Amino acid sequence: MTARNTLIAGFAVIFAVMFLVDLAGRRPDSTVAPLGNALIAAMRTGTGRLIVLGTWLWMGWHFLAR
């Protein structure tokens, strides 16, 4: 397995976990917030906005820079 394949598999695992946590958050009896609600809460503060922007830039760089 090459380094590129390892990275792709790692990103796939991260996205799968995000998807499963979001699904868990959408259940009526869940204590976990869905991804959309978590992003809304993060965007209420300046620090949260910087973290969301940094994450967006990092992911864009890794997926679109090639």
Side-chain angles (χ1 to χ4, degrees):
M1 185 173 241
T2 65
R4 183 173 189 274
N5 290 342
T6 304
L7 286 172
I8 290 171
F11 279 119
V13 168
I14 289 170
F15 284 124
V17 169
M18 284 176 47
F19 180 73
L20 291 174
V21 168
D22 189 57
L23 282 178
R26 293 181 185 276
R27 291 191 341 219
D29 60 340
S30 176
T31 59
V32 178
L35 184 58
N37 292 349
L39 282 174
I40 289 170
M43 295 294 283
R44 288 187 181 136
T45 65
T47 305
R49 288 181 185 146
L50 285 175
I51 291 171
V52 170
L53 176 65
T55 304
W56 184 259
L57 290 173
W58 181 81
M59 291 185 67
W61 176 261
H62 281 80
F63 285 117
L64 302 175
R66 291 192 179 245

